[in-house]
């Protein structure tokens, strides 16, 4: 009887172990997961009550919020280095859907408007700053270079490898990949998404996941290093740039342009003024010399 009991116990433990090991969020290493029933694993964002759908990507807003949390609220996970951008590290305000709120503020009561990718699109202002809408980012341009190699990849192979990568790893439908251009060692990827259906991932989230992967700070639970294979050869990414294009032009660009035009006009006016003044002075000196010469002749 005892051997039979031991066999049954071993089977139970073997069945329970995979269940416990599988209670993790494959697409979000910062999610806190718990087994709340037989075969039922619930995952929520660290330090918040928002449930996480681990079958798809987590919104960029929620990810940024999780990144800026203190270590004690992240249990045993090592906190990332933080979000590096021109505006510094801040904890974004997110809608319940995971979308960025149009206005973001930091602890010093400085506010600015952002697009749907969370990128600043206005000058900074005070708490009175009004952001009437969340402008959607519909184009994302990704530029990357790969490390030097003896021979370049074939263009169709690069296109195929990157299309499969974005589709399999980031759940992005190929219809949102508008173009892939390869001019060794530069690779340009253009993502286009006017509207995001509820069942599709957002291109801003895809770009953020991809950026974290390239910087060896993957959001995926496996935390493995990103490997891209082009027809069996490794594509070693060297540098990465991401550009965001919104439905409406960013407002601070026009202000900067106006300031630049004003500066140019000021310089031109000052130059013209100095030139006119110099001409007047030279004319006055010539007139004065001529009058002196006339007086000298009359005396003689």
């Amino acid at each position: 009887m005892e051997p039979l009991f031991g066999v049954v116990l071993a089977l139970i433990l073997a069945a329970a172990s995979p269940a416990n090991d599988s209670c993790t969020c494959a697409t979000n290493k910062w999610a806190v997961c718990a087994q709340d029933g037989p075969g039922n694993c619930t995952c929520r964002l660290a330090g918040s009550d928002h449930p996480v759908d681990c079958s798809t990507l987590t919104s960029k807003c929620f990810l940024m919020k999780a990144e800026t949390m203190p270590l004690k609220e992240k249990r045993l996970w090592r906190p990332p280095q933080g979000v590096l951008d021109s505006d510094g590290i801040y904890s974004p305000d997110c809608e319940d859907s995971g979308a960025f709120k149009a206005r973001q503020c930091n602890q010093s009561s400085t506010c600015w408007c952002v697009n749907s990718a969370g990128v600043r699109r206005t000058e900074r202002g005070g708490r009175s700053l009004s952001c009437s809408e969340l402008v959607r980012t519909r184009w994302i341009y990704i530029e990357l270079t790969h490390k030097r190699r003896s021979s370049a990849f074939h263009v169709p192979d690069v296109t195929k490898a990157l299309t499969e990568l974005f589709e399999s790893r980031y759940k992005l439908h190929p219809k949102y990949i508008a173009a892939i251009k390869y001019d060794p060692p530069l690779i340009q990827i253009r993502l286009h998404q006017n509207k995001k259906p509820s069942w599709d991932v957002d291109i801003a989230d895809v770009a953020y996941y991809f950026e974290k992967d390239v910087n060896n700070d993957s959001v995926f639970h496996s935390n493995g290093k990103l490997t891209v294979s082009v027809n069996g050869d490794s594509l070693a990414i060297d540098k990465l740039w991401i550009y965001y294009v919104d439905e409406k032009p960013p407002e601070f660009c026009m202000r900067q342009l106006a300031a630049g035009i004003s500066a140019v006009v000021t310089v031109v006016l000052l130059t013209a003024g100095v030139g006119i003044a110099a001409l007047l002075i030279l004319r006055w000196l010539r007139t004065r010399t001529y009058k002196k010469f006339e007086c000298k002749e009359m005396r003689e």
Side-chain angles (χ1 to χ4, degrees):
M1 187 69 181
E2 289 182 0
L4 179 61
F5 176 76
V7 171
V8 173
L9 180 60
L11 291 174
I12 293 175
L13 292 175
S17 296
N20 289 331
D21 292 340
S22 63
C23 192
T24 56
C25 187
T27 58
N28 190 337
K29 66 181 180 182
W30 297 310
V32 179
C33 303
Q35 198 87 30
D36 55 3
N40 188 22
C41 180
T42 301
C43 298
R44 298 183 180 277
L45 289 175
S48 71
D49 200 35
H50 288 288
V52 178
D53 182 0
C54 297
S55 66
T56 187
L57 304 186
T58 305
S59 74
K60 180 181 177 180
C61 191
F62 282 160
L63 289 177
M64 287 178 60
K65 198 167 189 67
E67 285 181 279
T68 56
M69 288 172 44
L71 175 62
K72 62 181 181 181
E73 296 184 24
K74 288 190 165 186
R75 303 221 175 156
L76 298 179
W77 288 306
R78 179 186 176 187
Q81 297 300 319
V83 182
L84 300 177
D85 58 27
S86 59
D87 298 313
I89 301 174
Y90 71 97
S91 179
D93 293 325
C94 310
E95 303 286 357
D96 291 337
S97 62
F100 285 92
K101 289 188 177 180
R103 192 186 75 164
Q104 298 291 329
C105 302
N106 59 19
Q107 296 179 352
S108 62
S109 299
T110 300
C111 301
W112 58 91
C113 301
V114 300
N115 57 21
S116 60
V119 179
R120 183 168 64 90
R121 51 174 284 109
T122 66
E123 298 290 352
R124 299 180 184 88
R127 290 283 179 179
S128 60
L129 177 67
S130 176
C131 304
S132 58
E133 61 177 331
L134 181 68
V135 178
R136 177 161 182 77
T137 297
R138 63 176 181 176
W139 292 94
I140 291 183
Y141 290 84
I142 301 174
E143 293 186 354
L144 59 93
T145 58
H146 63 70
K147 294 182 179 179
R148 297 287 180 178
R149 43 184 287 119
S150 57
S151 60
F153 296 105
H154 294 294
V155 175
D157 294 338
V158 172
T159 301
K160 180 181 178 182
L162 291 175
T163 300
E164 291 178 351
L165 171 71
F166 279 86
E167 184 178 8
S168 61
R169 186 173 178 86
Y170 307 112
K171 320 298 181 184
L172 182 67
H173 196 286
K175 67 181 179 181
Y176 297 124
I177 303 177
I180 296 178
K181 184 178 180 181
Y182 178 44
D183 184 16
L186 177 66
I187 300 176
Q188 296 173 303
I189 306 170
R190 185 173 64 186
L191 307 181
H192 181 212
Q193 188 180 51
N194 280 327
K195 295 182 180 180
K196 189 196 81 66
S198 58
W199 56 85
D200 282 333
V201 297
D202 195 302
I203 57 174
D205 301 337
V206 172
Y208 193 66
Y209 267 78
F210 182 62
E211 181 181 11
K212 302 293 281 186
D213 276 340
V214 172
N215 293 332
N216 294 326
D217 187 20
S218 178
V219 180
F220 293 101
H221 191 271
S222 61
N223 204 21
K225 185 177 181 180
L226 175 67
T227 56
V228 184
S229 177
V230 179
N231 199 22
D233 292 334
S234 176
L235 175 67
I237 299 176
D238 188 21
K239 296 180 181 180
L240 174 71
W241 302 269
I242 300 178
Y243 304 91
Y244 303 88
V245 181
D246 301 339
E247 292 177 342
K248 298 180 180 180
E251 297 178 18
F252 64 83
C253 285
M254 297 306 296
R255 294 179 184 178
Q256 290 179 352
L257 180 60
I261 293 174
S262 298
V264 171
V265 170
T266 302
V267 171
V268 171
L269 290 176
L270 286 174
T271 304
V274 171
I276 293 172
L279 289 174
L280 291 175
I281 292 173
L282 288 174
R283 184 179 179 183
W284 177 76
L285 289 174
R286 287 177 182 176
T287 304
R288 184 181 178 186
T289 304
Y290 178 73
K291 287 182 177 180
K292 284 184 176 180
F293 182 75
E294 273 190 340
C295 291
K296 183 176 181 182
E297 283 186 344
M298 288 179 66
R299 290 174 184 171
E300 291 178 354

